[in-house]
Amino acid sequence: MQRRIFSLSAVAALLAISAGAVNAQTKWDLASAYPATNFHSENLVQFANDVDKATAGKLKITVHSNASLFKAPEIKRAVQGGQAQAGEIIFANFQNEWQIYGADGLPFLADSYDESVKLYKAQKPLIEKKLAEQGMGLLYSVAWPPQGIYTKKALNSAADLKGIKWRAYSPATSRIAELVGAQPVTVQAAELSQALATGVVESTMTSGATGVDSKLYESLKYYYDTQAWLPKNAVLVNKKAFDALDKPTQDAVLKAAADAEARGLAASKKVNVDTLEKLTGFGMQVLPPSPQLKADLKKVGDIMLKEWIEKAGPEGKALIDTFSKP
Ligand code: PCA
């Protein structure tokens, strides 16, 4: 009798363990740096929901937006080290680490959605290889809307930017400031409203999306729609965390990522139009750049491309050649 009771409890224990295995849930943290209402962040939440549904709750991804888990420049390292299993970065932030990351942050190299997609195709195999070496994988990437200039005063040419406190978010946006004689101050999106309110900066180059997110219309009056480049965000995953998932879960993540990439591109295009309208609605002057300003910025772009090719070496040249093929 004693023996039978023992074996029954052993069976019960075994059942409990196997039921646990079937219901085993993996939890991931996904760090992002932009506000929850931003289209990239909304897309991340939908991505997490899609994964949840497709895996019947086996993989739960919590999105931590607005730099609440890690600040923008720290997210890549956090994913690499596994402090966050996944995270969203902006490639252009990492240009000093490896020039190829910065290609989509160069003014006028790829300055429309079509060109941006083309540049992404050329960058992607190189970036995937580099990230794999760094212990990470690329889940998906989505471009920000085209970048324009926000100022307090009207701009006729780049000379009007001389001495102005210019908020930069990347090495390239700092370099633009240097080349036009402005004073670059690096401030990430999460701190932009405050930097403007306290007078730390008085102009920036970014999208209509960030203009609306950070309420730039509260302190700035003009937006020049220069459509200079479309920097890309990318969602990275820690390779060990991904490899630890079973095959169906991995497939669900990849499928949700592919959907998010397509959905994000469409959202970016729509947000571009909607936010420029909103800025106008909030009383900003949304204007095309003057021919002089355009010509001045084109010169800046030419210098920066030349500098970039020198630093990026043969790999950079190969990237530009692939991108330039019809
Ligand atoms: N918004 C982000 C990056 C590019 C953009 O449009 C920012 O200003 O930080």
Side-chain angles (χ1 to χ4, degrees), residues 10-320:
V11 168
L14 270 178
L15 278 174
I17 289 167
S18 61
V22 168
N23 295 323
Q25 195 181 65
T26 303
K27 290 190 176 175
W28 280 6
D29 288 311
L30 193 159
S32 95
Y34 303 99
T37 50
N38 176 271
F39 75 99
H40 288 291
S41 311
E42 288 175 348
N43 200 29
L44 283 173
V45 169
Q46 188 163 346
F47 163 71
N49 288 342
D50 287 354
V51 169
D52 189 349
K53 257 188 235 142
T55 63
K58 263 176 103 175
L59 177 58
K60 293 269 183 203
I61 303 175
T62 305
V63 177
H64 304 267
S65 51
N66 213 25
S68 57
L69 199 57
F70 293 100
K71 291 196 184 302
E74 297 165 357
I75 292 177
K76 182 165 172 281
R77 187 159 286 279
V79 175
Q80 185 170 11
Q83 287 88 7
Q85 289 77 14
E88 184 184 52
I89 63 159
I90 179 165
F91 282 134
N93 268 3
F94 300 93
Q95 182 179 347
N96 286 344
E97 178 192 318
W98 187 52
Q99 292 296 319
I100 305 297
Y101 285 138
D104 57 44
L106 298 172
F108 306 112
L109 175 62
D111 54 6
S112 66
Y113 278 100
D114 286 351
E115 296 266 290
S116 157
V117 168
K118 211 173 157 208
L119 180 58
Y120 177 43
K121 281 193 185 135
Q123 273 174 305
K124 198 178 170 187
L126 301 174
I127 288 181
E128 281 180 328
K129 186 165 171 275
K130 172 66 81 184
L131 287 172
E133 286 163 17
Q134 299 183 331
M136 290 179 279
L138 173 65
L139 288 179
Y140 69 87
S141 176
V142 172
W144 284 91
Q147 308 284 291
I149 306 179
Y150 289 83
T151 52
K152 280 200 166 134
K153 292 191 191 134
L155 280 186
N156 293 311
S157 70
D160 294 332
L161 290 165
K162 280 221 161 61
I164 276 183
K165 287 178 269 178
W166 168 283
R167 173 264 176 170
Y169 63 81
S170 62
T173 47
S174 289
R175 184 68 185 132
I176 294 171
E178 284 171 12
L179 289 170
V180 299
Q183 297 176 39
V185 186
T186 299
V187 178
Q188 293 307 324
E191 282 101 39
L192 178 53
S193 300
Q194 205 193 340
L196 274 165
T198 54
V200 170
V201 297
E202 54 188 340
S203 67
T204 187
M205 212 163 169
T206 184
S207 57
T210 292
V212 170
D213 286 347
S214 301
K215 300 195 167 79
L216 298 193
Y217 47 82
E218 287 185 347
S219 39
L220 305 175
K221 186 98 186 71
Y222 296 89
Y223 180 73
Y224 292 94
D225 189 13
T226 54
Q227 303 180 16
W229 72 95
L230 294 83
K232 288 188 295 289
N233 275 7
V235 181
L236 311 183
V237 66
N238 177 281
K239 199 175 170 304
K240 271 193 202 136
F242 184 80
D243 290 346
L245 302 173
D246 60 29
K247 181 75 170 53
T249 306
Q250 289 181 344
D251 290 346
V253 170
L254 297 179
K255 164 79 171 62
D259 291 348
E261 187 164 285
R263 192 172 56 232
L265 176 61
S268 181
K269 290 178 181 175
K270 184 171 185 308
V271 160
N272 182 37
V273 175
D274 292 354
T275 53
L276 295 188
E277 273 172 17
K278 280 186 192 163
L279 292 178
T280 307
F282 285 123
M284 279 195 99
Q285 301 229 30
V286 176
L287 302 165
S290 71
Q292 185 61 54
L293 180 59
K294 242 179 151 164
D296 292 346
L297 291 173
K298 177 77 179 64
K299 258 189 222 153
V300 167
D302 290 346
I303 294 172
M304 287 177 62
L305 181 59
K306 194 169 163 282
E307 289 175 347
W308 183 87
I309 289 176
E310 277 163 18
K311 283 192 193 154
E315 210 172 24
K317 184 162 182 316
L319 171 65
I320 300 295

